[in-house]
Amino acid sequence: MKDGFSLARLYAILVKEFIQMRRDRMTFGLMVGVPIMQLMLFGFAINTDPRHLPAALHIADDSVYARSIAAALKNSQYFDIVAIAHSPGEGDRMLDRGDVTFVITIPVNFARDLVRGLSPQMLIEADATDPVAAGNALAAMSELATSALRDDLVGPLSVRAAKRPFTPVIQRRYNPEGITQYNIVPGLIAIILTMTMVMVTSMAMTRERERGTFENLLAMPAHPFEVMLGKIIPYVLIGYIQATLILLGARYVFHVPMFGSLTLLIAATGVFIAANLALGFTFSTIAKNQLQAMQMTVFFLLPSILLSGFMFPFRGMPVWAQYLGEGLPNTHFLRIVRGILLKGNGAAEIWPNIWPLLLFLLIAGSVALLRYRRTLD
Amino acid sequence: MSVLAIDVHGLTKRFGRKVAVDGVDIAVPEGQVWGFLGPNGSGKTTTIRMLCGLLKPDAGEGACLGHDVLREPDAIKRQVGYMTQRFSFWEDLSIRENLEFVARVYAIPDRRAKVDATLERLGLKARQNQLAGELSGGWKQRLALAACMLHNPRLLLLDEPTAGVDPQARREFWEEIHRLSQTGLTVLVSTHYMDEAERCDRIIYINLGRIIARGTVADVIRQSGLITFTLQGRDVRQYLPQLEGRPGIEHIAFFGAALHVSGHDRLALESAVAPLREGKDIAVREEAPSLEDVFIHLQGQVKAQ
């Protein structure tokens, strides 16, 4: 007898699946809760037209015009004057460290030349490692040049207001042609390392637990620290292989400039890999099975991509999202890689981003060790 | 008096509100083989796990091999071999790699020689590079035992080591256990097999987390005070319905072609089986109850409470 499709059997399987879905609370929560959370998080945080970018002002010629330009920059909402540079060198250092996205210089004799109708230059140096971030702000510059001094240039000077009273000169630093790959390719080192490192280690303990070998491991006289290190070190090696491959690709396929010290980059990469592995190991002590470990990895990976400044300008995010971003190792490593490769940063410049990685490593490592149970309780 | 390899008192373990092990006392002298019996979920595995430091007891105290079970789990782990109920070696490592791993973790001197000798003794030398996951149940069990013995433990804790293993392999397994115990090794082995229980120097019977019988097999049978009549003959099974529920009969069990009818009240039991004596086909004899009769009785007793 031919046995056809049976609704009753389909129903039986449906009932079983729904029961099992309901029993696995954590998976269910991740499936329902996470999309809602992420919608709210990323929906509000991501902004492709970043405003309030930090800028430093170097005023070599103080005048009423300089002050009006500063006010106009601020009113445009694209620029937040967060610092005053007292010399061109100081402005450079601020850009190098990534403290500011722009350094705006009002040169000597600016007021005099302006009054004489010589349309003096105003220099805007932009950190173009992320070409997208600075783009709209720079576009706003030319409009600003005509409107900024409208209220100052009255009476006999009103003739100066008719055409552009001064000329903004834009310098895109570190990436003059605004090549997107220069920004994305080094950033990929961070993303790829986060993805694979967290994923493999998050499964490290759950796999032992699922296969029943964990009990055996526990019955042996192995210290948790030994187990953790033993499970992490092989992946440090894998991480370095990945980083090397991406760097080779960056160099020879995408021709990304590499100004800084590769030794420094290798050292910083080690810290970053270790931080990710420690986090993965922590997940591994929490997740009940490999599926949950996987979900936790994805849960961590999304903000690492979206809130770290990899996909969208970091400065464009609201302040609360920037705080969240600062908590992610990715954010700091992105700045380190871009800083070393594109800006030629040295140890002193990247230190502000190294210590957060070390702190993260310390916290994640301690949590992992505390959560690692030496018994089956 | 001999030295005790296991000496624990009042071991208690709770999981949430459920008491898995409730005030267990065990004292096993060195060099003996003790059987640990009881129905599924009675607390055998939990007790064994507490003995080797895998679970922290909620109450109780004591020592394994002279080391405090609460404070010195690491010292205990170094001298105890624990064989889990489920095969827990790495199936994606070869037989040799598993043994080498264990040897390294315990920092065993002359590792290669030791592993070679173990493979030789197991008869697995030719298959040493095969993945452990490809072994049959019996071979897995032999590998697991060899791996637990690699560091020459003084105490072996075996949790249902012979579940799902064929009779021949079980026999060989027990011969190995007895051979090892001759060398001074102490063994605590949990099992559901009566024939295995009878191979032990002493047995402990646990139910619902409490030890309710202990001693030699003969002791346990005697202590039960059980009286058993064996009914043998053609179609003896058909009498089951008419025997069930008669006063004096506490339980009835099949043993091959025979029925074992057991109870405590000899007079009541006699009168219960009396009608069957009249037929010529059935032989009714009073015999010493088997261990299984006693266990079924003990299990029923706990249920009744």
Side-chain angles (χ1 to χ4, degrees):
Chain A
M1 194 189 80
K2 203 164 156 74
D3 205 3
F5 180 84
S6 154
L7 267 180
R9 286 194 295 258
L10 170 66
Y11 181 70
I13 292 167
L14 280 176
V15 169
K16 166 184 156 294
E17 290 303 316
F18 274 115
I19 293 172
Q20 288 177 315
M21 195 193 290
R22 211 186 52 218
R23 293 275 151 76
D24 191 355
R25 290 266 174 77
M26 181 139 166
T27 305
F28 191 71
L30 284 168
M31 281 191 300
V32 176
V34 167
I36 296 172
M37 211 183 99
Q38 284 172 340
L39 178 70
M40 303 311 280
L41 187 63
F42 303 132
F44 287 115
I46 291 166
N47 176 10
T48 50
D49 181 19
R51 287 160 194 261
H52 301 289
L53 298 169
L57 201 55
H58 172 49
I59 301 180
D61 179 46
D62 199 5
S63 66
V64 61
Y65 306 121
R67 283 182 296 258
S68 291
I69 288 170
L73 288 169
K74 202 166 175 289
N75 286 338
S76 76
Q77 292 196 6
Y78 280 107
F79 304 91
D80 274 358
I81 309 292
V82 296
I84 297 295
H86 298 287
S87 70
E90 198 183 341
D92 281 350
R93 279 194 297 279
M94 288 178 186
L95 275 180
D96 275 350
R97 282 198 304 265
D99 295 346
V100 296
T101 310
F102 302 99
V103 175
I104 295 156
T105 306
I106 295 182
V108 184
N109 298 334
F110 183 81
R112 190 195 68 191
D113 291 353
L114 190 140
V115 172
R116 286 181 184 171
L118 297 175
S119 191
Q121 294 187 336
M122 182 178 86
L123 181 64
I124 299 115
E125 293 162 291
D127 179 347
T129 47
D130 184 356
V132 180
N136 283 345
L138 292 177
M141 246 3 253
S142 65
E143 212 287 306
L144 197 137
T146 47
S147 62
L149 302 177
R150 203 165 280 153
D151 293 342
D152 294 318
L153 301 174
V154 289
L157 285 174
S158 59
V159 62
R160 302 281 175 256
K163 61 179 180 65
R164 277 214 301 213
F166 67 96
T167 314
V169 176
I170 293 166
Q171 263 187 18
R172 289 186 169 82
R173 295 280 297 272
Y174 314 118
N175 182 5
E177 287 132 90
I179 298 170
T180 317
Q181 276 90 336
Y182 287 9
N183 184 50
I184 294 295
V185 175
L188 275 176
I189 301 179
I191 296 299
I192 290 172
L193 284 177
T194 301
M195 190 164 72
T196 44
M197 295 296 102
V198 175
M199 197 187 305
V200 280
T201 37
S202 70
M203 305 217 177
M205 297 312 297
T206 42
R207 189 168 50 225
E208 301 265 1
R209 217 170 290 143
E210 263 181 75
R211 294 187 184 171
T213 51
F214 187 59
E215 187 174 359
N216 204 339
L217 201 58
L218 274 183
M220 293 181 192
H223 193 273
F225 196 57
E226 295 159 357
V227 177
M228 182 166 118
L229 275 187
K231 283 187 169 284
I232 278 179
I233 288 170
Y235 296 112
V236 173
L237 215 70
I238 303 283
Y240 269 120
I241 292 174
Q242 289 184 326
T244 310
L245 287 176
I246 302 166
L247 278 175
L248 285 175
R251 183 85 186 81
Y252 295 105
V253 180
F254 295 102
H255 307 291
V256 174
M258 297 184 180
F259 290 115
S261 150
L262 280 183
T263 320
L264 184 65
L265 183 59
I266 288 168
T269 306
V271 180
F272 178 64
I273 290 174
N276 278 318
L277 292 177
L279 179 75
F281 201 85
T282 306
F283 284 174
S284 185
T285 59
I286 299 167
K288 291 205 170 59
N289 52 49
Q290 296 193 55
L291 177 66
Q292 287 183 0
M294 190 74 189
Q295 286 169 323
M296 290 167 90
T297 305
V298 173
F299 180 58
F300 177 72
L301 191 63
L302 269 173
S304 291
I305 292 174
L306 298 175
L307 298 184
S308 64
F310 172 73
M311 286 274 276
F312 305 103
F314 189 82
R315 305 281 197 194
M317 302 191 302
V319 177
W320 59 265
Q322 292 192 24
Y323 275 120
L324 274 180
E326 294 283 356
L328 299 167
N330 232 0
T331 307
H332 299 283
F333 189 62
L334 272 172
R335 293 177 191 158
I336 293 171
V337 184
R338 289 172 180 166
I340 293 177
L341 291 183
L342 304 179
K343 298 179 175 179
N345 278 175
E349 283 99 358
I350 65 165
W351 174 247
N353 287 306
I354 288 284
W355 70 256
L357 286 183
L358 289 170
L359 183 69
F360 188 93
L361 172 61
L362 182 74
I363 294 172
S366 312
V367 173
L369 280 180
L370 285 176
R371 290 226 26 127
Y372 181 97
R373 270 152 292 174
R374 302 207 62 186
T375 59
L376 291 166
D377 289 77
Chain B
M1 211 190 107
S2 55
V3 183
L4 295 175
I6 301 175
D7 186 17
V8 293
H9 310 282
L11 278 195
T12 299
K13 183 71 194 175
R14 289 179 210 95
F15 296 112
R17 294 183 60 188
K18 185 178 174 292
V19 183
V21 173
D22 191 3
V24 160
D25 305 331
I26 302 175
V28 183
E30 268 186 4
Q32 291 201 357
V33 179
W34 280 39
F36 201 12
L37 291 102
N40 293 326
S42 55
K44 299 190 296 292
T45 299
T46 305
T47 305
I48 289 177
R49 283 175 173 170
M50 282 194 280
L51 291 176
C52 61
L54 283 180
L55 286 175
K56 207 171 157 54
D58 292 316
E61 49 162 30
C64 264
L65 303 170
H67 296 289
D68 191 292
V69 287
L70 286 165
R71 282 186 293 275
E72 300 172 286
D74 287 334
I76 293 174
K77 282 178 187 178
R78 275 192 289 275
Q79 295 182 63
V80 168
Y82 168 47
M83 187 168 154
T84 52
Q85 198 168 347
R86 180 180 157 195
F87 181 72
S88 64
F89 285 86
W90 288 266
E91 301 205 337
D92 48 355
L93 293 186
S94 73
I95 295 163
R96 184 178 192 98
E97 287 159 349
N98 268 301
L99 292 174
E100 296 236 342
F101 171 70
V102 175
R104 282 199 181 94
V105 169
Y106 287 96
I108 293 169
D110 293 328
R111 176 165 43 82
R112 295 190 67 84
K114 180 92 186 178
V115 169
D116 280 335
T118 303
L119 285 167
E120 193 78 60
R121 194 167 43 76
L122 279 174
L124 279 171
K125 188 116 194 180
R127 298 165 72 185
Q128 56 174 293
N129 294 319
Q130 210 177 329
L131 294 185
E134 293 169 1
L135 291 172
S136 68
W139 279 108
K140 275 184 182 166
Q141 173 243 29
R142 295 182 68 179
L143 170 63
L145 178 65
C148 303
M149 285 301 302
L150 211 55
H151 60 290
N152 294 323
R154 291 166 55 205
L155 171 64
L156 204 50
L157 300 170
L158 307 170
D159 195 1
E160 293 186 28
T162 55
V165 169
D166 69 54
Q168 175 67 22
R170 280 209 297 141
R171 178 184 295 268
E172 286 169 13
F173 181 83
W174 274 91
E175 280 166 10
E176 176 75 2
I177 295 295
H178 281 289
R179 199 184 57 75
L180 291 169
S181 80
Q182 293 302 307
T183 65
L185 182 77
T186 312
V187 182
L188 180 65
V189 50
S190 77
T191 179
H192 287 301
Y193 296 107
M194 296 305 133
D195 61 311
E196 292 186 354
E198 282 164 0
R199 291 168 191 263
C200 296
D201 296 316
R202 294 277 192 289
I203 57 172
I204 302 170
Y205 184 87
I206 184 172
N207 200 351
L208 296 177
R210 289 196 188 141
I211 293 178
I212 53 176
R214 65 172 93 217
T216 62
V217 169
D219 286 342
V220 171
I221 292 174
R222 189 157 24 82
Q223 285 160 15
S224 73
L226 205 64
I227 297 153
T228 298
F229 282 90
T230 310
L231 281 58
Q232 231 160 352
R234 271 169 57 88
D235 297 328
V236 71
R237 286 161 197 239
Q238 67 184 346
Y239 299 107
L240 181 66
Q242 69 180 89
L243 286 171
E244 257 174 345
R246 284 212 189 158
I249 297 182
E250 289 168 38
H251 64 83
I252 307 170
F254 289 114
F255 280 87
L259 269 183
H260 286 201
V261 181
S262 308
H264 281 88
D265 184 343
R266 179 181 301 276
L267 284 175
L269 206 56
E270 292 257 18
S271 61
V273 297
L276 292 177
R277 286 184 193 271
E278 286 154 22
K280 313 171 198 58
D281 299 342
I282 307 294
V284 180
R285 267 194 309 275
E286 187 185 339
E287 284 184 0
S290 70
L291 195 54
E292 190 159 340
D293 289 317
V294 173
F295 286 159
I296 293 168
H297 158 71
L298 288 173
Q299 208 167 325
Q301 215 174 31
V302 170
K303 239 178 244 160
Q305 280 171 11

